[in-house]
Amino acid sequence: LAWLKDSESRFLAVNRALVRSCGHRTNGAVIGRSDLDLFPAALAEKFRADDRRVMERLAPLTVEEQIPEHGRLRWYETFKAPVLGNDGRVLGTAGYARDVTAQREADARLRASEQRFRQLLEHVPGIAVQGYGADLKVRFWNLGSEQLYGWTAREARGRHLRPH
């Protein structure tokens, strides 16, 4: 999604992806309108607040936010920057948003998988598993290690122990 807005946050130029995300077919259905015309009120106000912040601070802004699209919430990484005239006066904002939903979902699946693996390693009976940092301090100490060495994970973690 890409756009150019005036200082009142009205769209001056948009790409097809933004038009489609708003449920329209032509740029003309979006040009001249504001976020309040195209998005739910709370979301539109957030977009407008971000625009004001960018224009007041004369600094770009990057945020990750959820945006409804065709009845589903999607995650977008949004970048906005002020647009200045030759005289340094703020003319508006320009920005783009890229859909990061798939990356967010993949990250969540990876975290869940890592958690399942960690739980398996922590509780596997009869097998001692330890993890050490580059400094040779214990980072991971499972139940099997507790049984073999007699130290609890709490006692072992952070200690400088030599792996066997």
Side-chain angles (χ1 to χ4, degrees), residues 61-120:
L61 173 68
T62 303
V63 297
E64 208 167 280
E65 56 199 350
Q66 281 190 299
I67 300 173
E69 187 174 287
H70 308 296
R72 180 175 177 225
L73 283 177
R74 302 199 54 86
W75 282 98
Y76 281 86
E77 179 182 69
T78 303
F79 173 83
K80 293 182 177 189
V83 175
L84 306 177
N86 291 338
D87 59 359
R89 187 173 50 92
V90 176
L91 300 177
T93 61
Y96 67 87
R98 67 184 187 97
D99 189 336
V100 294
T101 305
Q103 182 62 45
R104 278 261 183 152
E105 291 169 350
D107 290 347
R109 286 190 304 274
L110 179 60
R111 281 191 304 277
S113 175
E114 288 171 345
Q115 181 63 26
R116 286 189 305 275
F117 184 67
R118 177 176 288 278
Q119 288 174 345
L120 174 66

Side-chain angles (χ1 to χ4, degrees), residues 112-164:
S113 175
E114 288 171 345
Q115 181 63 26
R116 286 189 305 275
F117 184 67
R118 177 176 288 278
Q119 288 174 345
L120 174 66
L121 285 180
E122 285 176 353
H123 298 98
V124 67
I127 299 177
V129 180
Q130 301 103 34
Y132 297 85
D135 58 1
L136 294 182
K137 289 185 179 179
V138 174
R139 299 288 183 249
F140 180 81
W141 193 263
N142 78 340
L143 182 60
S145 296
E146 288 182 6
Q147 292 166 346
L148 182 64
Y149 297 105
W151 293 30
T152 67
R154 180 178 283 196
E155 292 168 329
R157 240 182 251 115
R159 289 183 174 260
H160 189 272
L161 300 175
R162 297 192 62 172
H164 291 86

